[in-house]
Amino acid sequence: MSFEPKILGILCNWCAYAGGDLAGVSRIQYPPNMKVVRVMCTGRVDPEFVIEGFLVGCDGIWVGG
Amino acid sequence: MESGRYSNIKIIANAKIESLKGQAGNYNVTVLKRPRYVDEDLCTACGTCVSYCPVEMPDSYNEKLVNSKCLYIPYPQAVPASYVIDPKYCLFQTKNECRQCEQACKDLKAIKLNQQAEHIDIQVGSIILAIGFDEFDARRKKAYGYGEYPNVITSIELERMLSASGPFTGKITRLSDRKHPKKIAFLQCVGSRDIETNAYCSSVCCTYAVKEAMVAKEHDPDVDITIFYMDIRTQGKGFESFYERAKTKFGIKFVRSRLASLERIHESENLLFKFVTEDGKHHSEEFDMAVLSVGLEPSRTAKELADTLGVKLNKEGFCQTNEFSPTSTNREGIFVAGAFQSPKDIPESVIQASGSVALASGFLSEVRGTLVEQKECVAETDLTGEDPRIGVFVCHCGVNIAGVADVKKIREYVETLPDVVYAEQSMYACSKDNQDKIKQIIKEHNLNRVVVAACTPRTHEPLFQETIREAGLNRCLFEMANIRDHCSWVHANEPQAATEKAIDLLRMGVAKARLLSPLKEETVPVIPKGLVIGGGLSGMIAALSLADQGLECVLLEKSKLLGGNLRGIYYTLSGNDPQKLLRDTIDKVTSHPKIKVFTEADIKEVTGYIGNFLTRFSIGQEEQTISHGVIIVATGAFEYEPKEYLYGENESVITQHSLEEKLALKNFNSDDLKDVVMIQCVGSRTKEKPYCSKICCSQAIKNALKIKSIKPNSNVYILYKDIRTYGFREEYYRKARNEGIIFIRYDDNTLPLVKEENGELRVEVFDPILGENILISPSLLVLSAGVDPGDNRSISKLLKVPLNFEGFFLEAHVKLRPVDFPTDGVFVAGLAHSPKPIDETIAQAQAAAARAAIPLTRGYVMVEPVASIVDSEKCFGCGICEYLCPYGSIKVISDEDGDKAQSISASCKGCGICASKCPRQAITMGRFTNEQIIAQIDAFSLATSDV
């Protein structure tokens, strides 16, 4: 079986998360590997969140804002 | 979207005004609501009907470049978010057959093919007209071949092509062969500045062409773009640097020229441009695609509407207004905003929109609040000591989710999660009947947390929060999993993977929901008084607009006299009397019982936050402190003091302001006006001051025309870079040319040379039309000195509001919030914001007052529960949070326990910068605590293999 990375997205409500919504409305297709945690601003992202993500087995983390 | 959700705005779409009776304060409007053949209350916009509709028609939103079904939503953000049927195409409406959509919607029964037009009577006190504009029909300029040559398109069509959600998913496409063009020409002023069609300037086309060209370059850096133009008019705030970037960073070519012809090359479907540059030379160049920058025309419905309402239009067909009352029509109680008043861009339109609201609500201030709908509030259930009992609703969204993901499987999985005591599938989670069902289930199953797996919280969270609140649960005990926009829609071809992802998203949502806790919804009272800083035109108008709405305000002016720059303006292009405006406004301000004016006031300190500011200022030796709810910054700007062209060395070198004063006060002798040279862009569009001062071109033409009227045989030369008489001001530029005022263009490489020889002034400048230098010995050299922001740093520091690179105040959002600061309760208007003429200043001052009046009239500020919360046990007062907060919403306060940070939740935006940077982790965010986010992350990692 090929490698399927587990990607965590921590996305800003106002831009990257909204971009995700727009991708949906526009029916733009992309791989299903990323799961999203919504925050009100990427300024909220404590380095601890990123470390926790890797600790629990994420292969990649995208902080989008 | 926001207005669609607002409980005190009722939107009647697909409608027109049939008649108007009554008078200001008591208008009776009859509205014709055309049938949309879909019940907008029942329709959930799931889109199932569309897949059944067999009829295609040109998609107007996408400029008819592609087709849509005749059952459609015009665009994704449309309000109401409900489908509409075009009766011109619908088979039932035209041939009485089909009815497939009815079948598709048999559960909701939202399709109403027999719907009839309705006549609705509405009683209103005042009316705001905001009908916008229509684009110029490029077919009227036959020579450009639009509609005939496939690769000639309009700028509006290009705009759609550039959009990722547009007809070609963001790819610029030649309509002849669907290929990507490599060489594009823009042609400016199509249907603008053209006596055959529209003589006025459309104001926005230069900037939008520059924008489109830059976006096209971003899509494909190799595309070669040339813009053919007469003058580049990027006069708005920030637009000049945008234009510079287009030239220098993006390599977009700008060619000042007249187009001789545009020919179609049949084999390649390319286009041959033949044009004449200003040196008289003829050129020809081939392009793959031509974009016509079409102008703005009055809306095609303007005439009918104006006749119905008895509102006057100007000779161009836009709504007639006066320069000194830019948002008032000729009828009392009827106001205007946006491009119906004159062609304008987004910031100006938004400003006028708020400005017209100030007038309309001032007009209605006596009856304010009488028709406001207040919701009844159910008491919140006390959850102290209760374990989480989570209810989950998984939405099918018709086929939008269920057509891809296995909703039953998702629901079954959710039931196995800890603390989930109830799970259900809903056809449409957001439908009205389902809201009642959710409330009922909350009660039956004693739920204390609700998770909805459906679409995006950005649009639907408030609806569900309202529902659970009505069932007695705190709004914060709610969480959404976005299994449509972020899942079924984007993994439409991978049903298995989509199901697994939906399960992951729900598990993460439930993990967060378990840790949710109720948060208090607080309100903070607002002191119903405004502070206006600056007593120039904008400050006085802002104070008057507040006072006319029945609100008290204090106006602080640092100099001895009110009036600011208006004191030095003696006449205007359109013939109004600014000195009368000055006297009248000062009279009104000083005699208004609600306004308190302090001159020679010096602000020492401003503390507090929206609703509760405290300002200390001095007048001479005396100090005063006032408390107030909002602040409007209207500190103005200055005329730039030139350092160039012998200003200050030779007394015949003066600025436009001093010229205007001389002319108005007749303080000159006849010889002074014999040969007048004006130099534009002194202290504007230079290396040191790169912005455009917007007003100097009109000012120069105004003064030049005045000179011509005083002394018709005088020679007036205007040396310029681009003449920016945007909008209806173009008329005066044409007049100036007709009256023999000589315009000579220069650029940065051919700056005019000014010398003094034997006490005489000599101006040498290269004339690009003659191709040689010309020498003038002017009796007067007038420098069109730009607008200088002055030193705004102290006010900026006192109020903690930002300045832009050029020293003007920086608004919260250039387009959408042009008079707000990021800090709540602080607003900006007038020259302090950017250079602008009188009409725009007045509109902006009214706009700032309208925005400021919102918290003042409401009387309280709602505190969003998504705010910072400080644990004062952990906090040791380092102040990092205060330093980093972009909104001034957290402060370190010293008391007997030492220094402790305190959240000012009234203005907190919930961004969480403070929480993530706190070295003691003493700050957490409502609904986004560390524990909740970590729980989501941990839940993600759990295996989904058992699904």
Side-chain angles (χ1 to χ4, degrees):
Chain A
M1 217 174 84
S2 64
F3 169 64
E4 284 294 338
K6 289 177 82 153
I7 301 168
L8 173 70
I10 308 181
L11 307 188
C12 164
N13 179 63
W14 309 103
C15 52
Y17 191 92
D21 288 349
L22 184 61
V25 173
S26 315
R27 308 296 199 276
I28 294 168
Q29 303 296 305
Y30 57 80
N33 305 51
M34 185 178 76
K35 314 288 144 70
V36 173
V37 169
R38 181 173 70 111
V39 288
M40 295 311 277
C41 169
T42 44
R44 175 71 188 93
V45 180
D46 194 310
E48 189 190 338
F49 303 162
V50 178
I51 294 165
E52 181 75 12
F54 286 123
L55 278 177
V56 297
C58 295
D59 299 300
I61 295 173
W62 176 39
V63 178
Chain B
M1 296 286 270
E2 207 179 323
S3 45
R5 256 207 315 261
Y6 201 82
S7 63
N8 291 308
I9 298 176
K10 186 174 161 60
I11 296 175
I12 306 175
N14 211 10
K16 71 166 192 175
I17 295 184
E18 283 187 309
S19 72
L20 176 75
K21 294 196 191 84
Q23 61 281 314
N26 192 15
Y27 281 124
N28 194 338
V29 188
T30 308
V31 174
L32 170 77
K33 186 181 179 199
R34 301 182 193 92
R36 69 189 295 134
Y37 307 107
V38 176
D39 186 322
E40 55 200 76
D41 292 327
L42 294 178
C43 175
T44 60
C46 73
T48 309
C49 51
V50 178
S51 50
Y52 286 82
C53 176
V55 187
E56 292 209 339
M57 62 168 197
D59 178 356
S60 299
Y61 178 63
N62 278 316
E63 292 295 306
K64 303 186 177 170
L65 294 168
V66 285
N67 284 345
S68 69
K69 293 291 181 69
C70 80
L71 174 60
Y72 66 106
I73 291 186
Y75 45 91
Q77 302 85 354
V79 174
S82 146
Y83 279 84
V84 55
I85 291 173
D86 189 326
K88 291 196 294 299
Y89 289 89
C90 170
L91 288 176
F92 179 76
Q93 305 299 337
T94 52
K95 297 189 182 128
N96 204 12
E97 47 192 52
C98 185
R99 310 190 84 139
Q100 300 239 20
C101 49
E102 263 181 347
Q103 272 304 307
C105 194
K106 61 180 186 300
D107 293 338
L108 285 172
K109 297 193 177 54
I111 305 276
K112 305 283 182 205
L113 291 172
N114 293 312
Q115 203 176 49
Q116 299 295 316
E118 273 179 82
H119 302 271
I120 306 168
D121 282 327
I122 310 170
Q123 298 282 120
V124 295
S126 73
I127 299 171
I128 295 173
L129 308 176
I131 59 169
F133 66 92
D134 270 313
E135 67 191 79
F136 173 76
D137 179 4
R139 285 177 191 83
R140 282 166 62 198
K141 292 298 282 182
K142 286 213 164 48
Y144 301 153
Y146 177 74
E148 198 182 330
Y149 309 166
N151 295 327
V152 176
I153 63 168
T154 69
S155 47
I156 316 287
E157 287 170 330
L158 180 64
E159 182 84 30
R160 287 313 302 150
M161 283 192 193
L162 290 169
S163 168
S165 59
F168 309 121
T169 61
K171 291 187 187 69
I172 306 174
T173 305
R174 272 163 49 107
L175 296 181
S176 67
D177 52 13
R178 305 277 146 169
K179 281 193 183 143
H180 184 58
K182 282 289 164 201
K183 211 167 165 218
I184 304 174
F186 280 75
L187 188 59
Q188 296 306 108
C189 296
V190 177
S192 305
R193 302 183 67 189
D194 170 24
I195 25 181
E196 278 175 26
T197 57
N198 298 311
Y200 57 85
C201 161
S202 291
S203 299
V204 300
C205 324
C206 285
T207 306
Y208 80 53
V210 171
K211 179 200 78 175
E212 289 183 358
M214 281 165 73
V215 176
K217 275 277 198 186
E218 277 169 0
H219 285 210
D220 175 9
D222 296 330
V223 67
D224 184 322
I225 299 180
T226 307
I227 298 183
F228 293 95
Y229 72 100
M230 294 198 271
D231 294 279
I232 286 293
R233 295 187 169 171
T234 46
Q235 69 276 345
K237 186 177 186 182
F239 296 164
E240 182 65 19
S241 60
F242 198 64
Y243 167 44
E244 276 303 312
R245 229 170 47 238
K247 280 193 290 191
T248 52
K249 294 256 160 59
F250 285 74
I252 293 160
K253 285 174 258 176
F254 288 83
V255 178
R256 191 184 298 262
S257 61
R258 274 186 300 119
L259 188 71
S261 73
L262 194 166
E263 291 165 20
R264 174 188 195 174
I265 303 170
H266 277 276
E267 308 80 67
S268 60
E269 285 297 358
N270 284 354
L271 300 150
L272 187 67
F273 272 62
K274 291 188 174 162
F275 56 97
V276 188
T277 42
E278 56 183 346
D279 53 11
K281 286 193 183 127
H282 289 254
H283 308 259
S284 71
E285 197 172 346
E286 200 176 317
F287 292 92
D288 299 347
M289 183 185 246
V291 180
L292 307 180
S293 292
V294 287
L296 275 52
E297 287 195 330
S299 162
R300 315 238 191 276
T301 60
K303 181 78 178 61
E304 190 190 341
L305 179 73
D307 288 345
T308 310
L309 301 183
V311 162
K312 278 191 190 140
L313 300 180
N314 65 14
K315 63 177 188 290
E316 289 85 4
F318 291 86
C319 187
Q320 187 176 316
T321 55
N322 181 286
E323 190 179 13
F324 297 160
S325 50
T327 52
S328 301
T329 69
N330 59 301
R331 272 199 85 169
E332 198 189 4
I334 303 186
F335 307 99
V336 60
F340 181 35
Q341 191 256 345
S342 74
K344 60 175 61 67
D345 58 15
I346 296 172
E348 289 304 326
S349 299
V350 174
I351 287 169
Q352 271 202 344
S354 292
S356 62
V357 165
L359 296 186
S361 62
F363 194 74
L364 301 175
S365 62
E366 283 176 19
V367 290
R368 175 179 290 122
T370 48
L371 295 174
V372 172
E373 277 181 27
Q374 296 283 7
K375 288 216 166 146
E376 270 182 57
C377 215
V378 184
E380 266 183 34
T381 321
D382 183 13
L383 300 176
T384 322
E386 275 188 34
D387 287 334
R389 292 179 60 79
I390 303 174
V392 182
F393 297 83
V394 188
C395 181
H396 285 233
C397 195
V399 292
N400 283 290
I401 295 169
V404 179
D406 186 340
V407 175
K408 181 165 169 273
K409 205 167 178 182
I410 299 170
R411 196 250 308 150
E412 285 168 358
Y413 173 79
V414 169
E415 284 171 344
T416 66
L417 291 172
D419 295 334
V420 173
V421 296
Y422 182 86
E424 188 187 86
Q425 294 164 232
S426 331
M427 184 51 78
Y428 293 100
C430 62
S431 67
K432 274 201 174 126
D433 52 339
N434 200 54
Q435 303 314 300
D436 296 332
K437 194 162 179 204
I438 292 175
K439 283 188 256 182
Q440 187 196 328
I441 289 168
I442 289 174
K443 291 200 176 109
E444 272 173 24
H445 294 263
N446 215 4
L447 303 179
N448 56 22
R449 311 276 190 286
V450 172
V451 178
V452 173
C455 51
T456 171
R458 298 183 73 254
T459 56
H460 279 69
E461 192 173 66
L463 170 81
F464 293 115
Q465 285 184 307
E466 199 55 42
T467 302
I468 70 161
R469 182 65 192 80
E470 284 166 16
L473 288 183
N474 182 281
R475 267 177 246 269
C476 296
L477 298 170
F478 178 76
E479 182 63 18
M480 264 187 110
N482 189 344
I483 63 168
R484 188 186 72 178
D485 306 40
H486 285 199
C487 189
S488 67
W489 273 353
V490 290
H491 313 307
N493 306 318
E494 301 169 86
Q496 166 94 24
T499 306
E500 282 170 20
K501 179 168 170 180
I503 282 172
D504 284 344
L505 291 172
L506 245 173
R507 186 175 58 244
M508 293 160 73
V510 168
K512 180 174 178 183
R514 296 175 69 199
L515 301 172
L516 290 171
S517 54
L519 293 170
K520 231 169 138 187
E521 290 181 63
E522 278 175 300
T523 57
V524 175
V526 169
I527 299 163
K529 189 194 268 187
L531 171 71
V532 180
I533 307 175
L537 178 63
S538 57
M540 290 194 293
I541 295 287
L544 274 176
S545 304
L546 279 179
D548 284 345
Q549 297 192 50
L551 300 163
E552 269 185 55
C553 77
V554 174
L555 179 62
L556 299 185
E557 164 59 39
K558 73 172 173 199
S559 71
K560 281 185 184 156
L561 295 169
L562 293 176
N565 288 304
L566 186 60
R567 302 197 80 85
I569 306 177
Y570 294 90
Y571 44 90
T572 72
L573 270 176
S574 40
N576 290 301
D577 182 355
Q579 291 297 311
K580 184 172 182 309
L581 172 71
L582 174 73
R583 286 190 305 272
D584 291 352
T585 313
I586 292 178
D587 280 352
K588 280 189 213 157
V589 166
T590 48
S591 63
H592 204 297
K594 297 266 183 198
I595 304 176
K596 213 162 174 196
V597 179
F598 294 96
T599 51
E600 293 182 90
D602 185 17
I603 299 181
K604 299 286 181 201
E605 190 187 31
V606 182
T607 55
Y609 49 90
I610 180 169
N612 297 278
F613 287 108
L614 204 64
T615 297
R616 187 162 59 82
F617 61 96
S618 67
I619 298 166
Q621 298 301 314
E622 241 180 85
E623 277 209 357
Q624 289 216 32
T625 304
I626 49 165
S627 50
H628 50 99
V630 296
I631 303 171
I632 295 174
V633 178
T635 48
F638 305 90
E639 188 183 45
Y640 167 72
E641 195 183 326
K643 293 172 189 66
E644 45 275 87
Y645 304 122
L646 302 182
Y647 183 79
E649 292 169 43
N650 183 309
E651 60 182 24
S652 298
V653 183
I654 60 173
T655 64
Q656 289 287 0
H657 252 126
S658 359
L659 172 67
E660 184 164 339
E661 193 177 275
K662 269 181 196 289
L663 296 176
L665 306 178
K666 306 206 165 32
N667 183 15
F668 56 87
N669 62 49
S670 180
D671 281 349
D672 285 349
L673 304 184
K674 205 163 138 280
D675 296 289
V676 181
V677 171
M678 297 182 178
I679 301 180
Q680 297 306 107
C681 296
V682 178
S684 302
R685 304 181 67 189
T686 60
K687 267 211 176 66
E688 299 73 32
K689 297 211 164 273
Y691 56 91
C692 165
S693 291
K694 204 176 191 180
I695 56 175
C696 336
C697 285
S698 305
Q699 198 183 18
I701 286 170
K702 175 180 85 172
N703 289 340
L705 284 169
K706 191 80 179 175
I707 291 173
K708 278 288 191 184
S709 75
I710 296 169
K711 191 177 161 78
N713 62 351
S714 63
N715 295 311
V716 185
Y717 304 85
I718 299 184
L719 316 186
Y720 72 102
K721 286 185 163 177
D722 293 278
I723 289 293
R724 293 184 167 174
T725 43
Y726 58 98
F728 303 136
R729 292 166 182 85
E730 181 68 8
E731 180 185 341
Y732 302 100
Y733 178 31
R734 189 170 305 108
K735 188 172 175 210
R737 283 197 176 261
N738 290 341
E739 293 200 5
I741 292 163
I742 299 156
F743 288 84
I744 302 171
R745 200 184 62 77
Y746 73 89
D747 58 35
D748 287 336
N749 302 318
T750 57
L751 289 176
L753 209 67
V754 176
K755 286 183 291 200
E756 195 184 297
E757 279 172 17
N758 311 322
E760 297 266 307
L761 277 175
R762 297 262 188 278
V763 177
E764 192 180 348
V765 65
F766 176 77
D767 185 327
I769 297 171
L770 300 174
E772 57 190 54
N773 281 2
I774 61 166
L775 200 65
I776 312 164
S777 304
S779 46
L780 213 52
L781 175 61
V782 186
L783 305 182
S784 293
V787 178
D788 189 322
D791 188 359
N792 286 321
R793 279 174 300 182
S794 66
I795 293 281
S796 157
K797 267 189 199 140
L798 279 170
L799 301 177
K800 298 193 183 61
V801 291
L803 297 175
N804 69 7
F805 180 67
E806 293 142 357
F808 292 97
F809 285 97
L810 180 63
E811 61 275 34
H813 189 286
V814 174
K815 287 188 165 68
L816 303 177
R817 294 177 62 196
V819 300
D820 302 5
F821 279 114
T823 308
D824 282 348
V826 191
F827 307 88
V828 64
L831 295 182
H833 164 271
S834 69
K836 56 178 65 70
I838 292 179
D839 51 349
E840 291 168 28
T841 299
I842 292 174
Q844 202 181 20
Q846 290 168 340
R851 300 286 298 162
I854 296 172
L856 296 184
T857 52
R858 187 178 286 156
Y860 63 88
V861 189
M862 263 304 254
V863 177
E864 281 294 321
V866 188
S868 57
I869 305 159
V870 183
D871 181 344
S872 54
E873 294 281 303
K874 286 188 190 165
C875 174
F876 63 158
C878 69
I880 290 178
C881 51
E882 178 175 347
Y883 173 74
L884 289 172
C885 178
Y887 310 103
S889 298
I890 196 158
K891 283 203 164 48
V892 176
I893 311 274
S894 304
D895 60 15
E896 63 271 22
D897 299 333
D899 293 349
K900 298 285 174 195
Q902 223 170 66
S903 169
I904 299 165
S905 44
S907 62
C908 175
K909 297 273 183 285
C911 72
I913 289 175
C914 54
S916 65
K917 301 298 177 300
C918 176
R920 299 287 290 253
Q921 296 203 332
I923 306 173
T924 190
M925 304 304 298
R927 295 194 63 205
F928 292 88
T929 65
N930 279 9
E931 294 72 26
Q932 287 162 5
I933 294 171
I934 295 279
Q936 272 179 296
I937 296 171
D938 290 354
F940 171 39
S941 71
L942 295 173
T944 46
S945 52
D946 55 334
V947 215

